[in-house]
Amino acid sequence: MEWYVYQRGSSPIRRVTRKRNYRMKRMLWSALILLIVAGLIWCAVALSRINGAETTAPMVKADAGVILGMSMWGDEPSPGLKERLDYALELYRSGAFTHFVVSGGLDHPDNKYTEAEGMKRYLAAHGVPEDVIYLEKQSTSTYENLLFSKAVMQQEGLSSAVIITHDFHGRRALEIARELKFTNPELGVTESKVMSMFKYKTREILAYTKWKMQQLSL
């Protein structure tokens, strides 16, 4: 009679189990690497789209300039929001549109003014008649900015718009405006000299990705 002595851990069942575990780990690592590569490719695509936003040229005269809000610093627009407002004033004075729709809700519960109210005060202080400035002061996102601003425009009999924001934000804003069936929306974008583009473009890649996923469900 022959006796077989297996070393510890060398049974056929254990060898098969180890092989299966190894294959599973290799599959998981491969899937993870593919996911990372796909994510990096998408980030590059999204950044390219974000960087491609430009002011509409030539610009056709519109009924309204819709200024998308940013944070308030106390009772005053933040430096970034002032850049959007100053650019909007340039377009208004050049005759690009005749009315303003300023869009943005309460940035912080302790603030005295919503973003829209802060923008109206700024524009009025720079010579814009208050009766050509319409407020949308409920929104908390870019999608709501444009959705609620369109309702204000319809209420006031305004049909065409220039969407005013920063260049890194322009692509998403224009896509949302088109999704919401704005009538031939135009885009007015300005560069920022006061904000970190690394920070804001990184955030915009995430926001643009979220928007594309949201778009699939619309």
Side-chain angles (χ1 to χ4, degrees):
M1 179 180 293
E2 296 183 4
W3 293 89
Y4 293 93
V5 179
Y6 290 102
Q7 293 182 355
R8 186 177 181 181
S10 64
S11 71
I13 294 176
R14 289 180 177 175
R15 287 200 297 270
V16 169
T17 300
R18 284 202 302 269
K19 286 183 179 180
R20 286 178 178 173
N21 290 340
Y22 173 75
R23 289 173 182 169
M24 182 62 69
K25 288 180 181 179
R26 188 170 63 180
M27 288 174 63
L28 289 173
W29 275 110
S30 297
L32 179 61
I33 291 169
L34 285 173
L35 187 61
I36 292 172
V37 171
L40 291 173
I41 291 172
W42 166 248
C43 287
V45 170
L47 183 60
S48 176
R49 293 181 181 180
I50 289 166
N51 287 337
E54 295 181 344
T55 294
T56 303
M59 188 173 284
V60 178
K61 186 174 181 178
D63 294 332
V66 178
I67 309 176
L68 305 185
M70 286 189 73
S71 61
M72 293 284 292
W73 284 13
D75 294 346
E76 298 294 325
S78 63
L81 184 51
K82 285 182 179 179
E83 289 181 322
R84 294 185 186 182
L85 290 162
D86 289 340
Y87 181 59
L89 285 167
E90 287 181 26
L91 293 176
Y92 172 71
R93 290 165 181 160
S94 72
F97 50 83
T98 55
H99 295 76
F100 289 90
V101 177
V102 287
S103 178
L106 194 63
D107 189 50
H108 190 278
D110 294 332
N111 283 0
K112 184 177 180 181
Y113 302 106
T114 63
E115 293 173 6
E117 290 167 335
M119 287 191 278
K120 181 176 181 178
R121 293 176 71 247
Y122 186 90
L123 293 172
H126 285 75
V128 179
E130 291 192 21
D131 61 356
V132 302
I133 307 172
Y134 300 112
L135 277 69
E136 181 291 293
K137 51 184 182 178
Q138 303 299 321
S139 58
T140 59
S141 67
T142 301
Y143 187 85
E144 289 183 352
N145 282 150
L146 292 160
L147 178 64
F148 299 160
S149 291
K150 184 181 180 185
V152 171
M153 289 176 59
Q154 290 173 334
Q155 181 180 334
E156 301 299 335
L158 307 171
S159 60
S160 55
V162 179
I163 311 301
I164 301 166
T165 186
H166 280 97
D167 50 4
F168 65 84
H169 187 220
R171 172 70 185 236
R172 179 162 57 100
L174 186 59
E175 286 190 13
I176 292 173
R178 287 171 175 165
E179 186 71 34
L180 292 171
K181 302 297 189 292
F182 272 68
T183 302
N184 298 322
E186 299 180 278
L187 187 62
V189 294
T190 184
E191 295 182 6
S192 179
K193 295 181 173 60
V194 299
M195 293 186 290
S196 164
M197 284 300 96
F198 177 80
K199 173 184 176 181
Y200 279 91
K201 286 188 178 183
T202 300
R203 287 174 56 180
E204 185 59 22
I205 288 172
L206 297 175
Y208 185 73
T209 302
K210 181 180 177 181
W211 155 242
K212 299 309 287 184
M213 294 175 67
Q214 178 184 350
Q215 195 175 25
L216 293 174
S217 64
L218 294 176

